[in-house]
Amino acid sequence: MRHRSPSLLLALGLCACASPPPYPPMVETVVRVPFDVELGGFQSHGELVHPRPGGQHGAGPWPIVLLLAGNGPHDMDVTMRTPDGPVTLFAQIADTLAARGCAVVRYHKRFVRGPGSFDVRFWREQSTPAFVADAQTVLAKAATLPGCDAGRVYLYGWSEGTAVAAQLAVERRSDHATRAAF
C-alpha cells in the first residue's frame, strides 16, 4: 500500500464528526482503558481512549492514533507546568480525538513513571532507535486491545516524536496502512 503523510488536519478530518466537541469532552462519550507494556526491560503504563461503543461512532473498531511525545522524559499526558497550573497536552488531544471517533493510544516513555518522575537511566540510555522500538511495541499492544482497528493507523509526532513517527512509518509502510502527521 502506498504511504502518505497527511497533515494533522487531515488526520483529524478522517476521525471527525460534524462539529468539534468542546474540551474537555463529556466523560460519557469516551472509554479509558489503562494498560502496561514492557519497553526494554522497563514496565511502562499507557492508556487507550476510544468512543463509547454504541454512541454516534458505532461499536468500533476505530482507527488507531498513536501519540508520540517530544524530547525529554515526558509522561503519557505530556504534562507541562504553566503559571496557571499544569497543562496535559496529549490527554487533551486523546480525549478530543476519541470523542471524534478514534482509538487514541499514549504511553509513558521508557524510564518515565509519571509527570516529573523518571529514572536517571532516561538520560543515559535514550536514543531514537530505542524510542522507535518502543513505539512499535506499544502499537503492537494497541492492536490487541478491544476497539482498535490495526488496519488503520495514524502516527502523531510532536517534536522528537516526529522523527520517531517518520521512522516507524517507513518501517511499517510495506505491509501496513500507516499515516503519519508531523
Side-chain angles (χ1 to χ4, degrees), residues 8 11-12 14-15 47-50 62-68 90 93-94 96-98 100-107 138-139 142 147-150 152-157 179-181:
L8 177 58
L12 288 171
L14 293 172
C15 301
E47 185 177 68
L48 162 67
V49 184
H50 63 73
W62 303 281
I64 298 170
V65 178
L66 178 61
L67 302 181
L68 300 161
F90 273 18
I93 291 172
T96 300
L97 289 175
R100 295 177 130 212
C102 296
V104 186
V105 178
R106 63 194 202 287
Y107 60 99
V138 171
L139 193 51
C148 291
D149 183 350
R152 295 183 293 161
V153 173
Y154 297 86
L155 307 172
Y156 174 75
R179 290 152 182 84

Side-chain angles (χ1 to χ4, degrees), residues 13 27 44 47 59 65 77 87 128 155 158 165:
V27 175
S44 181
E47 185 177 68
V65 178
D77 294 334
V87 172
T128 300
L155 307 172
W158 174 60

Side-chain angles (χ1 to χ4, degrees), residues 108-155:
H108 293 321
K109 290 172 81 171
R110 185 187 298 213
F111 302 127
V112 175
R113 294 184 196 93
S117 176
F118 61 93
D119 189 306
V120 72
R121 291 179 294 171
F122 178 85
W123 296 113
R124 289 194 313 257
E125 299 178 27
Q126 69 175 329
S127 70
T128 300
F131 292 147
V132 171
D134 291 350
Q136 183 71 294
T137 299
V138 171
L139 193 51
K141 174 71 175 185
T144 70
L145 297 174
C148 291
D149 183 350
R152 295 183 293 161
V153 173
Y154 297 86
L155 307 172

Side-chain angles (χ1 to χ4, degrees), residues 8-94:
L8 177 58
L9 292 176
L10 178 58
L12 288 171
L14 293 172
C15 301
C17 58
S19 62
Y23 187 81
M26 295 179 59
V27 175
E28 301 85 39
T29 64
V30 299
V31 174
R32 299 178 188 289
V33 181
F35 65 88
D36 291 327
V37 64
E38 185 179 317
L39 303 176
F42 179 80
Q43 192 72 9
S44 181
H45 302 293
E47 185 177 68
L48 162 67
V49 184
H50 63 73
R52 184 159 304 283
Q56 76 181 60
H57 299 291
W62 303 281
I64 298 170
V65 178
L66 178 61
L67 302 181
L68 300 161
N71 187 25
H74 292 292
D75 65 294
M76 70 177 159
D77 294 334
V78 184
T79 304
M80 297 182 174
R81 310 249 182 268
T82 72
D84 297 327
V87 172
T88 54
L89 179 66
F90 273 18
Q92 292 177 21
I93 291 172

